[in-house]
Amino acid sequence: MRLILELALTHIAGRGRQTIVAILGVALGVGFSIAMAALMQGTEKDFIAQLVDTMPHVQVSDERRTPRRQPAEDLFPATQFEGLRPKEDRRGILNPAAVFASLRDWVPGRMAQSLRTQGVVRYAGRDVGVSIIGIEPAIEATVSSVAGDFVQGSFDALQAGGNNIVVGDRLAQRLGASMGTTIQLVSATGQSRGFKIVGQFHTGSNARDEGETYVLLKNAQILSERPNAINDIRLRLDDPEAAPRVARQVEAEIGYKAVPWQEANESLLEALVVRNIVMYTVVGAILLVAGFGIFNIISTITHEKARDIAILKSLGFTQGNMRHLFLLEGLALGIAGSAVGWLIGFLLCLALSQVEFKISGGAVGREITRLPLFWSPWHYAIASAFALLSAGVAGYLPARQAARLNPVDIIRGAT
């Protein structure tokens, strides 16, 4: 085996220019693959982290996944309903205090309850449709990501006395209102009250910054004419990955629909899976192209070294030895290309990590950030595995052809 390895290295060294080109082809493929994988996985993890940080890990509403069974269904097995319209129920989650206490006993995290309803904000002749969210400020601050996005004021300001409201900064700009301005809030039931702006937040999401308002829970209940009602419980878990299990347990215990963040963003997560498939397909294609360069070199060596092959076989080298010889040449090019590719990939990742760009931060100014990269040894291993696989296949095909050569025909000069 040592003699075969020395012969393989001698063949490769004898074609210096083509060897360097083949190694660079593999190296560039491996390097760009590593950089692409680091960037793609970094953006994916950054996106998921933002999802986890900006929304509840589990959200319990006053809906049910399946409609209540009708009494006739229990009495008559052949009963079938068409166009059944359920009775409107404005009570929200029934017995909310008991439900909240029951969940608090075992849920591994923090919880907050609220009443969410729709309404209209009126100011200076402008009407804007918004979501009115009634909260308990002290508990909400432990669960909601909005608590860390305040430009002015805070949730605690809602308890300062009187009717107070917290709005998004874009909604305030749209209305032409500012801190201390009294705006009119009209609920879907027609109830109308004046509220003073005591806080503004900026999340970076226009849907929230223009469409969400926060008031005290009791004020939301009065506006919507739903005393003591809540229709939303939000859970923030110690381990976000446990959300599906917790959601199933919550739903089994209280019967109301519990949606984990993975289910709420199922289509987005599926799109990320498709994106990863595309990424690895492109990586494989890049390294496959590099494999063609190795194939050309080994094929050329096989053709030029036909007489050498005949002499070696006449000296006792077997077909297996010939296959190993040229397969080792292909793998040697793949290993050398992978080693150089690791360095190129590391330098590319280092360069990308230094790239800075600015994102408009609206009311909070301009924020400088960097490309999100995820450094992982698996990227190097996977890229090298692809490279060695393509190099092995590229070396095996001409190696099999070389092993089949008849030394008698070659020595006699037969075609």
Side-chain angles (χ1 to χ4, degrees):
M1 181 58 71
R2 181 178 177 182
L3 177 59
I4 292 175
L5 179 60
E6 290 178 355
L7 288 172
L9 295 178
T10 302
H11 284 174
I12 293 173
R15 307 186 65 83
R17 184 178 301 175
Q18 290 186 352
T19 299
I20 292 174
V21 170
I23 290 176
L24 284 178
V26 176
L28 290 175
V30 170
F32 280 105
S33 300
I34 292 170
M36 184 187 302
L39 183 59
M40 297 284 275
Q41 194 168 356
T43 54
E44 176 183 332
K45 287 186 174 295
D46 182 67
F47 177 71
I48 291 177
Q50 290 184 24
L51 284 181
V52 171
D53 290 340
T54 59
M55 67 182 301
H57 299 159
V58 178
Q59 186 162 14
V60 184
S61 64
D62 59 349
E63 301 177 10
R64 297 181 185 270
R65 287 195 182 271
T66 57
R68 291 177 178 273
R69 286 181 61 84
Q70 300 300 312
E73 291 182 273
D74 297 326
L75 294 174
F76 307 103
T79 302
Q80 181 176 349
F81 294 92
E82 295 289 344
L84 181 65
R85 181 179 179 181
K87 182 180 178 181
E88 182 180 0
D89 189 354
R90 292 173 47 81
R91 294 174 296 175
I93 296 175
L94 300 179
N95 200 1
V99 169
F100 196 78
S102 173
L103 296 179
R104 189 168 47 195
D105 287 339
W106 64 268
V107 169
R110 304 175 299 280
M111 299 188 303
Q113 57 185 354
S114 62
L115 177 65
R116 185 181 293 264
T117 185
Q118 300 300 313
V120 174
V121 172
R122 288 178 178 169
Y123 180 73
R126 296 185 179 90
D127 289 356
V128 181
V130 295
S131 292
I132 304 170
I133 306 173
I135 63 170
E136 297 171 328
I139 300 177
E140 185 70 19
T142 65
V143 173
S144 175
S145 62
V146 176
D149 294 325
F150 273 92
V151 180
Q152 294 176 294
S154 66
F155 282 137
D156 293 335
L158 293 175
Q159 296 177 322
N163 294 333
N164 299 319
I165 188 171
V166 168
V167 301
D169 61 341
R170 294 189 183 277
L171 176 60
Q173 292 172 8
R174 185 174 175 183
L175 294 171
S178 59
M179 290 288 290
T181 300
T182 299
I183 59 178
Q184 203 72 14
L185 202 58
V186 184
S187 69
T189 61
Q191 290 284 342
S192 177
R193 282 195 173 189
F195 286 83
K196 184 173 71 172
I197 298 177
V198 294
Q200 293 185 32
F201 57 85
H202 178 85
T203 64
S205 169
N206 286 344
R208 302 189 72 180
D209 295 339
E210 289 188 5
E212 285 188 357
T213 62
Y214 293 85
V215 299
L216 287 177
L217 178 58
K218 63 179 181 180
N219 288 335
Q221 292 169 342
I222 293 171
L223 270 175
S224 59
E225 299 180 355
R226 302 170 73 177
N228 303 319
I230 66 167
N231 59 6
D232 190 36
I233 298 177
R234 280 155 293 124
L235 280 59
R236 193 161 191 84
L237 306 177
D238 298 331
D239 179 15
E241 297 300 326
R245 175 183 59 81
V246 173
R248 287 193 299 270
Q249 190 171 345
V250 168
E251 201 163 309
E253 181 175 323
I254 66 177
Y256 290 104
K257 185 177 180 180
V259 180
W261 65 268
Q262 292 95 331
E263 181 182 339
N265 299 280
E266 186 175 1
S267 59
L268 291 176
L269 296 178
E270 289 177 352
L272 292 177
V273 173
V274 173
R275 190 184 71 158
N276 287 336
I277 293 174
V278 172
M279 178 192 72
Y280 285 112
T281 302
V282 172
V283 168
I286 292 173
L287 296 172
L288 181 62
V289 171
F292 280 113
I294 297 176
F295 175 80
N296 289 334
I297 289 179
I298 305 301
S299 296
T300 303
I301 292 175
T302 302
H303 180 72
E304 292 182 351
K305 301 296 182 180
R307 290 187 177 275
D308 294 355
I309 294 170
I311 294 172
L312 289 172
K313 295 187 74 173
S314 65
L315 291 174
F317 282 77
T318 64
Q319 289 190 6
N321 294 142
M322 292 299 98
R323 280 196 297 269
H324 292 157
L325 172 63
F326 292 100
L327 182 59
L328 279 175
E329 292 182 14
L331 290 176
L333 291 172
I335 291 171
S338 296
V340 178
W342 284 9
L343 178 61
I344 293 175
F346 176 79
L347 294 176
L348 283 173
C349 290
L350 191 63
L352 289 172
S353 67
Q354 302 303 315
V355 175
E356 293 184 352
F357 55 93
K358 295 181 179 180
I359 297 179
S360 177
V364 295
R366 297 182 66 85
E367 178 185 0
I368 298 178
T369 186
R370 298 180 185 274
L371 289 174
L373 292 176
F374 181 72
W375 301 72
S376 171
W378 283 108
H379 298 159
Y380 294 81
I382 292 173
S384 297
F386 272 114
L388 291 177
L389 178 62
S390 62
V393 173
Y396 177 76
L397 295 177
R400 187 178 61 175
Q401 179 185 358
R404 291 177 177 177
L405 291 176
N406 190 335
V408 176
D409 293 339
I410 296 172
I411 293 173
R412 287 177 175 175
T415 58

